[in-house]
Amino acid sequence: MNRLDGKVCVVTGAASGIGLRIAEVYAQAGGKVAIADLNREAAEAAADRLRDAGGDAMAVAMDVTDEAQVVDGIAAVVAAWGKVDVLVANAGIQIVNKITDFSLADWKKLLAIHLDGAFLTTRECLRDMETRREGGAIIYMGSVHSHLASKLKAPYVTAKHGLLGLARTVAKEAADYGVRANVICPGFVRTPLVDKQIPEQAKELGISEDEVVANVMLKDTVDGEFTTVDDVANVALTLAAFETNALTGQSLVVSHGWFMQ
Ligand code: NAD
C-alpha cells in the first residue's frame, strides 16, 4: 500500500513548505520526483538532498504562470523519465488585503499562480497521460478556503474554490484513460507562506500576532493545533497511490476539524 515505485511525480512549488515535504515523502515511497519551482536554486538544493538520501529526483525551474516554461518543464521530465504519472499542482502564494484596497495587479497575480498554473501543468501532464493511457493522479493543493471564506483573502478564496471546479472537470474528462483528480484542503500549516501572513494580519486587524494564531487561524479547530506538512504529505501519498477511479473528483479536508463536510 501507498508505494509509488517507479512512478514519475511532478510537484510544483516543491522547493519549500508543503510541496517540499510531499516531494520527500514521494521519493521515500519509491517515486521519481521532479521538483518544479520558480526558485531554481532552492529546487536544485532540494533535488540534491533527495538524491543524497537515496531517492530519484530532478529539479525543474518553472514559473507555473508561464506557458512556455510549463511546456518545456514537463517536456524535460518526460524526456528524462519517459512519462508523468502524478502531478501535484501545489505552487501558491498569499496576499492579504481588504477588497477595497486590492490592486488589480495583485488580484491577477494570485489567480494566475493558483489557477493558470494549475491549468497549464494539468494540460501538459494530461497530454502525456492521454497518449499513454496507463492512468495517473492529479492532485490540487486547495485549502479550507476551497470551502469557506475569510476576510482579507478575496483572490485566494476565489482561486481555491476554483480548483474544485477544475478537479471535478478533470475527473470527468480523464476518467476514460484512468486518471483521477482530487483536491487536498489543508487548514493552517506553519510554512513560510503562513509565517509571512501572521504579522500582516495582525497589522490589518489591529490585534497581536498571538491573537491572529489563536483567534483567527486556529479558532475553529477541534484542538487549537496547526495542521503539519506531514499530515498533508501523507494524504497526498494516499491520493497518488490509490489505484481506482473510486476516489476521484473529491476534496479531502485536512484541518483539525476546522471545516467538516
Ligand atoms: P511556501 O511559500 O512554503 O511554498 C510555496 C512554493 O511555491 C515556493 O517554493 C515558491 O517558490 C513556489 N512558487 C510561488 N510562485 C510560483 C510560481 N509562479 N511558479 C512556481 N513556483 C512558485 O507555501 P506553502 O504553505 O507550502 O503553500 C503551498 C500550497 O499549499 C499553496 O498552494 C498554498 O495555497 C497551499 N496551502 C497552504 C496552507 C498553509 O497554511 N501553509 C494551507 C492551505 C493551503
PDB file of all heavy atoms in Angstrom, residues 12-19 36-39 62-65 89-93 113-114 141-144 156 160 185-194, ligand 1:
ATOM      1  N   THR A  12       4.724  20.858  -8.063  1.00  0.00           N
ATOM      2  CA  THR A  12       5.064  22.273  -8.250  1.00  0.00           C
ATOM      3  C   THR A  12       5.146  22.966  -6.885  1.00  0.00           C
ATOM      4  O   THR A  12       4.516  22.539  -5.916  1.00  0.00           O
ATOM      5  CB  THR A  12       4.049  23.002  -9.150  1.00  0.00           C
ATOM      6  OG1 THR A  12       2.805  23.150  -8.436  1.00  0.00           O
ATOM      7  CG2 THR A  12       3.823  22.262 -10.456  1.00  0.00           C
ATOM      8  N   GLY A  13       5.945  24.012  -6.830  1.00  0.00           N
ATOM      9  CA  GLY A  13       6.151  24.698  -5.557  1.00  0.00           C
ATOM     10  C   GLY A  13       6.819  23.782  -4.547  1.00  0.00           C
ATOM     11  O   GLY A  13       6.593  23.907  -3.336  1.00  0.00           O
ATOM     12  N   ALA A  14       7.681  22.885  -5.037  1.00  0.00           N
ATOM     13  CA  ALA A  14       8.242  21.838  -4.169  1.00  0.00           C
ATOM     14  C   ALA A  14       9.573  22.224  -3.534  1.00  0.00           C
ATOM     15  O   ALA A  14      10.210  21.402  -2.894  1.00  0.00           O
ATOM     16  CB  ALA A  14       8.394  20.534  -4.953  1.00  0.00           C
ATOM     17  N   ALA A  15       9.976  23.485  -3.708  1.00  0.00           N
ATOM     18  CA  ALA A  15      11.228  23.911  -3.090  1.00  0.00           C
ATOM     19  C   ALA A  15      11.026  24.365  -1.650  1.00  0.00           C
ATOM     20  O   ALA A  15      11.994  24.660  -0.941  1.00  0.00           O
ATOM     21  CB  ALA A  15      11.844  25.044  -3.909  1.00  0.00           C
ATOM     22  N   SER A  16       9.784  24.406  -1.174  1.00  0.00           N
ATOM     23  CA  SER A  16       9.510  24.929   0.168  1.00  0.00           C
ATOM     24  C   SER A  16       8.250  24.281   0.736  1.00  0.00           C
ATOM     25  O   SER A  16       7.444  23.704  -0.008  1.00  0.00           O
ATOM     26  CB  SER A  16       9.304  26.456   0.065  1.00  0.00           C
ATOM     27  OG  SER A  16       8.873  27.010   1.297  1.00  0.00           O
ATOM     28  N   GLY A  17       8.112  24.375   2.044  1.00  0.00           N
ATOM     29  CA  GLY A  17       6.843  24.098   2.720  1.00  0.00           C
ATOM     30  C   GLY A  17       6.195  22.757   2.413  1.00  0.00           C
ATOM     31  O   GLY A  17       6.822  21.701   2.455  1.00  0.00           O
ATOM     32  N   ILE A  18       4.903  22.815   2.108  1.00  0.00           N
ATOM     33  CA  ILE A  18       4.092  21.607   1.888  1.00  0.00           C
ATOM     34  C   ILE A  18       4.617  20.816   0.685  1.00  0.00           C
ATOM     35  O   ILE A  18       4.749  19.583   0.737  1.00  0.00           O
ATOM     36  CB  ILE A  18       2.615  22.002   1.672  1.00  0.00           C
ATOM     37  CG1 ILE A  18       2.022  22.571   2.974  1.00  0.00           C
ATOM     38  CG2 ILE A  18       1.805  20.825   1.169  1.00  0.00           C
ATOM     39  CD1 ILE A  18       0.630  23.187   2.816  1.00  0.00           C
ATOM     40  N   GLY A  19       4.913  21.520  -0.408  1.00  0.00           N
ATOM     41  CA  GLY A  19       5.378  20.833  -1.619  1.00  0.00           C
ATOM     42  C   GLY A  19       6.676  20.094  -1.381  1.00  0.00           C
ATOM     43  O   GLY A  19       6.872  18.964  -1.868  1.00  0.00           O
ATOM     44  N   ALA A  36       9.466  21.058  -9.198  1.00  0.00           N
ATOM     45  CA  ALA A  36       9.231  22.169 -10.123  1.00  0.00           C
ATOM     46  C   ALA A  36       8.963  23.430  -9.309  1.00  0.00           C
ATOM     47  O   ALA A  36       8.019  23.467  -8.522  1.00  0.00           O
ATOM     48  CB  ALA A  36       8.036  21.852 -11.018  1.00  0.00           C
ATOM     49  N   ASP A  37       9.787  24.437  -9.507  1.00  0.00           N
ATOM     50  CA  ASP A  37       9.621  25.646  -8.672  1.00  0.00           C
ATOM     51  C   ASP A  37      10.207  26.851  -9.395  1.00  0.00           C
ATOM     52  O   ASP A  37      11.139  26.739 -10.184  1.00  0.00           O
ATOM     53  CB  ASP A  37      10.305  25.456  -7.310  1.00  0.00           C
ATOM     54  CG  ASP A  37       9.715  26.354  -6.234  1.00  0.00           C
ATOM     55  OD1 ASP A  37      10.004  27.578  -6.241  1.00  0.00           O
ATOM     56  OD2 ASP A  37       8.960  25.842  -5.376  1.00  0.00           O
ATOM     57  N   LEU A  38       9.639  27.986  -9.073  1.00  0.00           N
ATOM     58  CA  LEU A  38      10.147  29.281  -9.531  1.00  0.00           C
ATOM     59  C   LEU A  38      11.571  29.510  -9.027  1.00  0.00           C
ATOM     60  O   LEU A  38      12.396  30.102  -9.709  1.00  0.00           O
ATOM     61  CB  LEU A  38       9.224  30.353  -8.929  1.00  0.00           C
ATOM     62  CG  LEU A  38       9.319  31.792  -9.335  1.00  0.00           C
ATOM     63  CD1 LEU A  38       9.049  31.953 -10.813  1.00  0.00           C
ATOM     64  CD2 LEU A  38       8.284  32.604  -8.534  1.00  0.00           C
ATOM     65  N   ASN A  39      11.832  29.053  -7.831  1.00  0.00           N
ATOM     66  CA  ASN A  39      13.121  29.253  -7.180  1.00  0.00           C
ATOM     67  C   ASN A  39      14.085  28.136  -7.597  1.00  0.00           C
ATOM     68  O   ASN A  39      14.122  27.065  -7.009  1.00  0.00           O
ATOM     69  CB  ASN A  39      12.903  29.263  -5.658  1.00  0.00           C
ATOM     70  CG  ASN A  39      14.166  29.619  -4.902  1.00  0.00           C
ATOM     71  OD1 ASN A  39      15.279  29.428  -5.391  1.00  0.00           O
ATOM     72  ND2 ASN A  39      13.979  30.138  -3.693  1.00  0.00           N
ATOM     73  N   MET A  62      10.699  26.477 -13.067  1.00  0.00           N
ATOM     74  CA  MET A  62       9.457  26.728 -13.802  1.00  0.00           C
ATOM     75  C   MET A  62       8.611  27.777 -13.086  1.00  0.00           C
ATOM     76  O   MET A  62       8.345  27.661 -11.900  1.00  0.00           O
ATOM     77  CB  MET A  62       8.671  25.409 -13.854  1.00  0.00           C
ATOM     78  CG  MET A  62       7.327  25.470 -14.510  1.00  0.00           C
ATOM     79  SD  MET A  62       6.332  24.010 -14.116  1.00  0.00           S
ATOM     80  CE  MET A  62       7.121  22.723 -15.027  1.00  0.00           C
ATOM     81  N   ASP A  63       8.208  28.805 -13.843  1.00  0.00           N
ATOM     82  CA  ASP A  63       7.161  29.696 -13.355  1.00  0.00           C
ATOM     83  C   ASP A  63       5.851  29.111 -13.893  1.00  0.00           C
ATOM     84  O   ASP A  63       5.641  29.084 -15.113  1.00  0.00           O
ATOM     85  CB  ASP A  63       7.391  31.113 -13.893  1.00  0.00           C
ATOM     86  CG  ASP A  63       6.301  32.082 -13.470  1.00  0.00           C
ATOM     87  OD1 ASP A  63       5.227  31.624 -13.001  1.00  0.00           O
ATOM     88  OD2 ASP A  63       6.509  33.295 -13.620  1.00  0.00           O
ATOM     89  N   VAL A  64       4.991  28.642 -13.001  1.00  0.00           N
ATOM     90  CA  VAL A  64       3.791  27.925 -13.468  1.00  0.00           C
ATOM     91  C   VAL A  64       2.812  28.819 -14.230  1.00  0.00           C
ATOM     92  O   VAL A  64       1.888  28.325 -14.860  1.00  0.00           O
ATOM     93  CB  VAL A  64       3.045  27.208 -12.306  1.00  0.00           C
ATOM     94  CG1 VAL A  64       3.908  26.118 -11.693  1.00  0.00           C
ATOM     95  CG2 VAL A  64       2.547  28.194 -11.260  1.00  0.00           C
ATOM     96  N   THR A  65       3.027  30.124 -14.189  1.00  0.00           N
ATOM     97  CA  THR A  65       2.132  31.020 -14.941  1.00  0.00           C
ATOM     98  C   THR A  65       2.622  31.241 -16.373  1.00  0.00           C
ATOM     99  O   THR A  65       1.938  31.892 -17.160  1.00  0.00           O
ATOM    100  CB  THR A  65       2.020  32.408 -14.264  1.00  0.00           C
ATOM    101  OG1 THR A  65       3.270  33.094 -14.389  1.00  0.00           O
ATOM    102  CG2 THR A  65       1.641  32.285 -12.812  1.00  0.00           C
ATOM    103  N   ALA A  89      -0.307  19.905  -8.209  1.00  0.00           N
ATOM    104  CA  ALA A  89      -0.303  21.339  -8.534  1.00  0.00           C
ATOM    105  C   ALA A  89      -0.418  22.089  -7.210  1.00  0.00           C
ATOM    106  O   ALA A  89      -1.516  22.256  -6.667  1.00  0.00           O
ATOM    107  CB  ALA A  89      -1.454  21.678  -9.473  1.00  0.00           C
ATOM    108  N   ASN A  90       0.725  22.475  -6.692  1.00  0.00           N
ATOM    109  CA  ASN A  90       0.801  22.965  -5.309  1.00  0.00           C
ATOM    110  C   ASN A  90       1.324  24.397  -5.208  1.00  0.00           C
ATOM    111  O   ASN A  90       1.091  25.071  -4.205  1.00  0.00           O
ATOM    112  CB  ASN A  90       1.709  22.002  -4.522  1.00  0.00           C
ATOM    113  CG  ASN A  90       2.184  22.561  -3.205  1.00  0.00           C
ATOM    114  OD1 ASN A  90       1.454  22.553  -2.219  1.00  0.00           O
ATOM    115  ND2 ASN A  90       3.422  23.079  -3.182  1.00  0.00           N
ATOM    116  N   ALA A  91       2.016  24.892  -6.236  1.00  0.00           N
ATOM    117  CA  ALA A  91       2.640  26.220  -6.139  1.00  0.00           C
ATOM    118  C   ALA A  91       1.589  27.255  -5.772  1.00  0.00           C
ATOM    119  O   ALA A  91       0.481  27.256  -6.324  1.00  0.00           O
ATOM    120  CB  ALA A  91       3.282  26.593  -7.474  1.00  0.00           C
ATOM    121  N   GLY A  92       1.927  28.118  -4.839  1.00  0.00           N
ATOM    122  CA  GLY A  92       0.941  29.123  -4.447  1.00  0.00           C
ATOM    123  C   GLY A  92       1.567  30.235  -3.638  1.00  0.00           C
ATOM    124  O   GLY A  92       2.678  30.106  -3.118  1.00  0.00           O
ATOM    125  N   ILE A  93       0.839  31.333  -3.572  1.00  0.00           N
ATOM    126  CA  ILE A  93       1.241  32.476  -2.750  1.00  0.00           C
ATOM    127  C   ILE A  93       0.005  32.953  -1.993  1.00  0.00           C
ATOM    128  O   ILE A  93      -1.105  32.513  -2.260  1.00  0.00           O
ATOM    129  CB  ILE A  93       1.805  33.654  -3.591  1.00  0.00           C
ATOM    130  CG1 ILE A  93       0.750  34.168  -4.580  1.00  0.00           C
ATOM    131  CG2 ILE A  93       3.078  33.257  -4.304  1.00  0.00           C
ATOM    132  CD1 ILE A  93       1.052  35.538  -5.142  1.00  0.00           C
ATOM    133  N   ILE A 113      -1.120  32.408 -10.520  1.00  0.00           N
ATOM    134  CA  ILE A 113      -0.294  31.335  -9.942  1.00  0.00           C
ATOM    135  C   ILE A 113      -1.170  30.137  -9.581  1.00  0.00           C
ATOM    136  O   ILE A 113      -0.860  28.991  -9.920  1.00  0.00           O
ATOM    137  CB  ILE A 113       0.503  31.855  -8.731  1.00  0.00           C
ATOM    138  CG1 ILE A 113       1.520  32.912  -9.201  1.00  0.00           C
ATOM    139  CG2 ILE A 113       1.213  30.700  -8.009  1.00  0.00           C
ATOM    140  CD1 ILE A 113       2.240  33.646  -8.097  1.00  0.00           C
ATOM    141  N   HIS A 114      -2.290  30.398  -8.913  1.00  0.00           N
ATOM    142  CA  HIS A 114      -3.105  29.266  -8.447  1.00  0.00           C
ATOM    143  C   HIS A 114      -3.914  28.626  -9.579  1.00  0.00           C
ATOM    144  O   HIS A 114      -3.998  27.399  -9.637  1.00  0.00           O
ATOM    145  CB  HIS A 114      -4.057  29.735  -7.333  1.00  0.00           C
ATOM    146  CG  HIS A 114      -3.345  30.053  -6.047  1.00  0.00           C
ATOM    147  ND1 HIS A 114      -3.204  29.149  -5.029  1.00  0.00           N
ATOM    148  CD2 HIS A 114      -2.717  31.177  -5.631  1.00  0.00           C
ATOM    149  CE1 HIS A 114      -2.528  29.697  -4.034  1.00  0.00           C
ATOM    150  NE2 HIS A 114      -2.218  30.935  -4.373  1.00  0.00           N
ATOM    151  N   MET A 141      -3.579  21.431  -4.696  1.00  0.00           N
ATOM    152  CA  MET A 141      -3.492  21.904  -3.316  1.00  0.00           C
ATOM    153  C   MET A 141      -4.534  23.010  -3.146  1.00  0.00           C
ATOM    154  O   MET A 141      -4.318  24.161  -3.522  1.00  0.00           O
ATOM    155  CB  MET A 141      -2.085  22.417  -2.995  1.00  0.00           C
ATOM    156  CG  MET A 141      -1.831  22.515  -1.510  1.00  0.00           C
ATOM    157  SD  MET A 141      -2.241  20.981  -0.601  1.00  0.00           S
ATOM    158  CE  MET A 141      -1.072  19.829  -1.328  1.00  0.00           C
ATOM    159  N   GLY A 142      -5.689  22.592  -2.635  1.00  0.00           N
ATOM    160  CA  GLY A 142      -6.730  23.557  -2.293  1.00  0.00           C
ATOM    161  C   GLY A 142      -6.456  24.092  -0.907  1.00  0.00           C
ATOM    162  O   GLY A 142      -5.300  24.318  -0.513  1.00  0.00           O
ATOM    163  N   SER A 143      -7.509  24.256  -0.134  1.00  0.00           N
ATOM    164  CA  SER A 143      -7.387  24.832   1.204  1.00  0.00           C
ATOM    165  C   SER A 143      -8.761  24.698   1.857  1.00  0.00           C
ATOM    166  O   SER A 143      -9.766  24.487   1.159  1.00  0.00           O
ATOM    167  CB  SER A 143      -7.019  26.317   1.067  1.00  0.00           C
ATOM    168  OG  SER A 143      -7.264  27.019   2.266  1.00  0.00           O
ATOM    169  N   VAL A 144      -8.801  24.864   3.167  1.00  0.00           N
ATOM    170  CA  VAL A 144     -10.116  25.055   3.785  1.00  0.00           C
ATOM    171  C   VAL A 144     -10.824  26.201   3.054  1.00  0.00           C
ATOM    172  O   VAL A 144     -12.054  26.210   2.915  1.00  0.00           O
ATOM    173  CB  VAL A 144      -9.960  25.326   5.296  1.00  0.00           C
ATOM    174  CG1 VAL A 144     -11.223  25.941   5.880  1.00  0.00           C
ATOM    175  CG2 VAL A 144      -9.629  24.034   6.030  1.00  0.00           C
ATOM    176  N   TYR A 156      -7.523  34.666  -3.021  1.00  0.00           N
ATOM    177  CA  TYR A 156      -7.126  33.327  -2.567  1.00  0.00           C
ATOM    178  C   TYR A 156      -8.351  32.428  -2.427  1.00  0.00           C
ATOM    179  O   TYR A 156      -8.371  31.295  -2.911  1.00  0.00           O
ATOM    180  CB  TYR A 156      -6.384  33.459  -1.232  1.00  0.00           C
ATOM    181  CG  TYR A 156      -5.727  32.181  -0.726  1.00  0.00           C
ATOM    182  CD1 TYR A 156      -4.462  31.810  -1.171  1.00  0.00           C
ATOM    183  CD2 TYR A 156      -6.360  31.373   0.216  1.00  0.00           C
ATOM    184  CE1 TYR A 156      -3.848  30.657  -0.690  1.00  0.00           C
ATOM    185  CE2 TYR A 156      -5.755  30.221   0.695  1.00  0.00           C
ATOM    186  CZ  TYR A 156      -4.491  29.869   0.242  1.00  0.00           C
ATOM    187  OH  TYR A 156      -3.888  28.721   0.721  1.00  0.00           O
ATOM    188  N   LYS A 160      -9.034  29.172  -4.686  1.00  0.00           N
ATOM    189  CA  LYS A 160      -9.116  27.838  -4.073  1.00  0.00           C
ATOM    190  C   LYS A 160     -10.488  27.206  -4.313  1.00  0.00           C
ATOM    191  O   LYS A 160     -10.582  25.986  -4.449  1.00  0.00           O
ATOM    192  CB  LYS A 160      -8.803  27.923  -2.572  1.00  0.00           C
ATOM    193  CG  LYS A 160      -7.333  28.284  -2.263  1.00  0.00           C
ATOM    194  CD  LYS A 160      -6.347  27.305  -2.854  1.00  0.00           C
ATOM    195  CE  LYS A 160      -4.923  27.512  -2.329  1.00  0.00           C
ATOM    196  NZ  LYS A 160      -3.931  26.706  -3.083  1.00  0.00           N
ATOM    197  N   CYS A 185      -7.398  19.852   0.975  1.00  0.00           N
ATOM    198  CA  CYS A 185      -7.773  21.147   1.559  1.00  0.00           C
ATOM    199  C   CYS A 185      -7.218  21.275   2.976  1.00  0.00           C
ATOM    200  O   CYS A 185      -7.908  20.949   3.958  1.00  0.00           O
ATOM    201  CB  CYS A 185      -9.292  21.268   1.575  1.00  0.00           C
ATOM    202  SG  CYS A 185     -10.017  21.200  -0.074  1.00  0.00           S
ATOM    203  N   PRO A 186      -5.971  21.731   3.111  1.00  0.00           N
ATOM    204  CA  PRO A 186      -5.398  21.855   4.451  1.00  0.00           C
ATOM    205  C   PRO A 186      -5.935  23.062   5.216  1.00  0.00           C
ATOM    206  O   PRO A 186      -6.300  24.073   4.629  1.00  0.00           O
ATOM    207  CB  PRO A 186      -3.891  22.049   4.191  1.00  0.00           C
ATOM    208  CG  PRO A 186      -3.671  21.777   2.739  1.00  0.00           C
ATOM    209  CD  PRO A 186      -4.980  22.058   2.061  1.00  0.00           C
ATOM    210  N   GLY A 187      -5.930  22.922   6.543  1.00  0.00           N
ATOM    211  CA  GLY A 187      -6.071  24.088   7.412  1.00  0.00           C
ATOM    212  C   GLY A 187      -4.724  24.796   7.457  1.00  0.00           C
ATOM    213  O   GLY A 187      -3.863  24.567   6.604  1.00  0.00           O
ATOM    214  N   PHE A 188      -4.511  25.650   8.464  1.00  0.00           N
ATOM    215  CA  PHE A 188      -3.249  26.395   8.529  1.00  0.00           C
ATOM    216  C   PHE A 188      -2.074  25.476   8.856  1.00  0.00           C
ATOM    217  O   PHE A 188      -2.147  24.664   9.782  1.00  0.00           O
ATOM    218  CB  PHE A 188      -3.334  27.509   9.582  1.00  0.00           C
ATOM    219  CG  PHE A 188      -4.083  28.700   9.076  1.00  0.00           C
ATOM    220  CD1 PHE A 188      -5.406  28.922   9.441  1.00  0.00           C
ATOM    221  CD2 PHE A 188      -3.475  29.606   8.216  1.00  0.00           C
ATOM    222  CE1 PHE A 188      -6.108  30.019   8.961  1.00  0.00           C
ATOM    223  CE2 PHE A 188      -4.166  30.714   7.726  1.00  0.00           C
ATOM    224  CZ  PHE A 188      -5.485  30.919   8.104  1.00  0.00           C
ATOM    225  N   VAL A 189      -1.011  25.618   8.065  1.00  0.00           N
ATOM    226  CA  VAL A 189       0.220  24.843   8.234  1.00  0.00           C
ATOM    227  C   VAL A 189       1.349  25.852   8.397  1.00  0.00           C
ATOM    228  O   VAL A 189       1.429  26.810   7.605  1.00  0.00           O
ATOM    229  CB  VAL A 189       0.491  23.979   6.968  1.00  0.00           C
ATOM    230  CG1 VAL A 189       1.729  23.126   7.157  1.00  0.00           C
ATOM    231  CG2 VAL A 189      -0.733  23.118   6.614  1.00  0.00           C
ATOM    232  N   ARG A 190       2.221  25.668   9.388  1.00  0.00           N
ATOM    233  CA  ARG A 190       3.309  26.635   9.593  1.00  0.00           C
ATOM    234  C   ARG A 190       4.377  26.483   8.516  1.00  0.00           C
ATOM    235  O   ARG A 190       5.277  25.662   8.614  1.00  0.00           O
ATOM    236  CB  ARG A 190       3.961  26.454  10.976  1.00  0.00           C
ATOM    237  CG  ARG A 190       3.200  26.989  12.161  1.00  0.00           C
ATOM    238  CD  ARG A 190       2.736  28.420  12.052  1.00  0.00           C
ATOM    239  NE  ARG A 190       3.734  29.454  12.259  1.00  0.00           N
ATOM    240  CZ  ARG A 190       3.923  30.125  13.398  1.00  0.00           C
ATOM    241  NH1 ARG A 190       3.223  29.838  14.471  1.00  0.00           N
ATOM    242  NH2 ARG A 190       4.815  31.078  13.467  1.00  0.00           N
ATOM    243  N   THR A 191       4.244  27.265   7.454  1.00  0.00           N
ATOM    244  CA  THR A 191       5.241  27.309   6.370  1.00  0.00           C
ATOM    245  C   THR A 191       5.581  28.782   6.167  1.00  0.00           C
ATOM    246  O   THR A 191       4.918  29.655   6.747  1.00  0.00           O
ATOM    247  CB  THR A 191       4.642  26.759   5.058  1.00  0.00           C
ATOM    248  OG1 THR A 191       3.605  27.661   4.643  1.00  0.00           O
ATOM    249  CG2 THR A 191       4.068  25.359   5.219  1.00  0.00           C
ATOM    250  N   PRO A 192       6.568  29.085   5.310  1.00  0.00           N
ATOM    251  CA  PRO A 192       6.876  30.499   5.058  1.00  0.00           C
ATOM    252  C   PRO A 192       5.642  31.297   4.624  1.00  0.00           C
ATOM    253  O   PRO A 192       5.503  32.477   4.968  1.00  0.00           O
ATOM    254  CB  PRO A 192       7.927  30.428   3.943  1.00  0.00           C
ATOM    255  CG  PRO A 192       8.624  29.114   4.190  1.00  0.00           C
ATOM    256  CD  PRO A 192       7.551  28.179   4.672  1.00  0.00           C
ATOM    257  N   LEU A 193       4.732  30.650   3.889  1.00  0.00           N
ATOM    258  CA  LEU A 193       3.522  31.350   3.419  1.00  0.00           C
ATOM    259  C   LEU A 193       2.679  31.853   4.591  1.00  0.00           C
ATOM    260  O   LEU A 193       2.132  32.948   4.567  1.00  0.00           O
ATOM    261  CB  LEU A 193       2.726  30.392   2.520  1.00  0.00           C
ATOM    262  CG  LEU A 193       1.422  30.860   1.902  1.00  0.00           C
ATOM    263  CD1 LEU A 193       1.302  30.344   0.451  1.00  0.00           C
ATOM    264  CD2 LEU A 193       0.231  30.346   2.686  1.00  0.00           C
ATOM    265  N   VAL A 194       2.574  31.037   5.640  1.00  0.00           N
ATOM    266  CA  VAL A 194       1.756  31.413   6.801  1.00  0.00           C
ATOM    267  C   VAL A 194       2.534  32.326   7.746  1.00  0.00           C
ATOM    268  O   VAL A 194       1.983  33.291   8.290  1.00  0.00           O
ATOM    269  CB  VAL A 194       1.253  30.139   7.515  1.00  0.00           C
ATOM    270  CG1 VAL A 194       0.789  30.436   8.929  1.00  0.00           C
ATOM    271  CG2 VAL A 194       0.099  29.541   6.717  1.00  0.00           C
TER     272      VAL A 194
HETATM  273  P1  NAD B   1       5.519  28.121   0.646  1.00  0.00           P
HETATM  274  O1  NAD B   1       5.609  29.591   0.479  1.00  0.00           O
HETATM  275  O2  NAD B   1       6.301  27.444   1.714  1.00  0.00           O
HETATM  276  O3  NAD B   1       5.889  27.398  -0.743  1.00  0.00           O
HETATM  277  C1  NAD B   1       5.356  27.814  -1.968  1.00  0.00           C
HETATM  278  C2  NAD B   1       6.321  27.457  -3.080  1.00  0.00           C
HETATM  279  O4  NAD B   1       5.704  27.834  -4.324  1.00  0.00           O
HETATM  280  C3  NAD B   1       7.662  28.200  -3.001  1.00  0.00           C
HETATM  281  O5  NAD B   1       8.748  27.306  -3.136  1.00  0.00           O
HETATM  282  C4  NAD B   1       7.604  29.173  -4.190  1.00  0.00           C
HETATM  283  O6  NAD B   1       8.881  29.424  -4.776  1.00  0.00           O
HETATM  284  C5  NAD B   1       6.694  28.413  -5.148  1.00  0.00           C
HETATM  285  N1  NAD B   1       6.086  29.304  -6.133  1.00  0.00           N
HETATM  286  C6  NAD B   1       5.476  30.503  -5.904  1.00  0.00           C
HETATM  287  N2  NAD B   1       5.092  31.042  -7.077  1.00  0.00           N
HETATM  288  C7  NAD B   1       5.439  30.152  -8.048  1.00  0.00           C
HETATM  289  C8  NAD B   1       5.314  30.152  -9.468  1.00  0.00           C
HETATM  290  N3  NAD B   1       4.755  31.188 -10.129  1.00  0.00           N
HETATM  291  N4  NAD B   1       5.786  29.090 -10.151  1.00  0.00           N
HETATM  292  C9  NAD B   1       6.376  28.055  -9.499  1.00  0.00           C
HETATM  293  N5  NAD B   1       6.543  28.019  -8.170  1.00  0.00           N
HETATM  294  C10 NAD B   1       6.072  29.058  -7.455  1.00  0.00           C
HETATM  295  O7  NAD B   1       3.952  27.822   0.785  1.00  0.00           O
HETATM  296  P2  NAD B   1       3.135  26.562   1.350  1.00  0.00           P
HETATM  297  O8  NAD B   1       2.490  26.990   2.593  1.00  0.00           O
HETATM  298  O9  NAD B   1       3.934  25.319   1.317  1.00  0.00           O
HETATM  299  O10 NAD B   1       1.976  26.508   0.253  1.00  0.00           O
HETATM  300  C11 NAD B   1       1.907  25.507  -0.758  1.00  0.00           C
HETATM  301  C12 NAD B   1       0.464  25.393  -1.226  1.00  0.00           C
HETATM  302  O11 NAD B   1      -0.360  24.995  -0.122  1.00  0.00           O
HETATM  303  C13 NAD B   1      -0.126  26.704  -1.758  1.00  0.00           C
HETATM  304  O12 NAD B   1      -0.946  26.420  -2.886  1.00  0.00           O
HETATM  305  C14 NAD B   1      -0.982  27.182  -0.606  1.00  0.00           C
HETATM  306  O13 NAD B   1      -2.051  27.993  -1.019  1.00  0.00           O
HETATM  307  C15 NAD B   1      -1.473  25.855  -0.062  1.00  0.00           C
HETATM  308  N6  NAD B   1      -1.948  25.916   1.315  1.00  0.00           N
HETATM  309  C16 NAD B   1      -1.128  26.329   2.310  1.00  0.00           C
HETATM  310  C17 NAD B   1      -1.616  26.354   3.601  1.00  0.00           C
HETATM  311  C18 NAD B   1      -0.763  26.809   4.751  1.00  0.00           C
HETATM  312  O14 NAD B   1      -1.327  27.048   5.830  1.00  0.00           O
HETATM  313  N7  NAD B   1       0.546  26.894   4.612  1.00  0.00           N
HETATM  314  C19 NAD B   1      -2.936  25.981   3.879  1.00  0.00           C
HETATM  315  C20 NAD B   1      -3.751  25.574   2.831  1.00  0.00           C
HETATM  316  C21 NAD B   1      -3.236  25.537   1.542  1.00  0.00           C
END
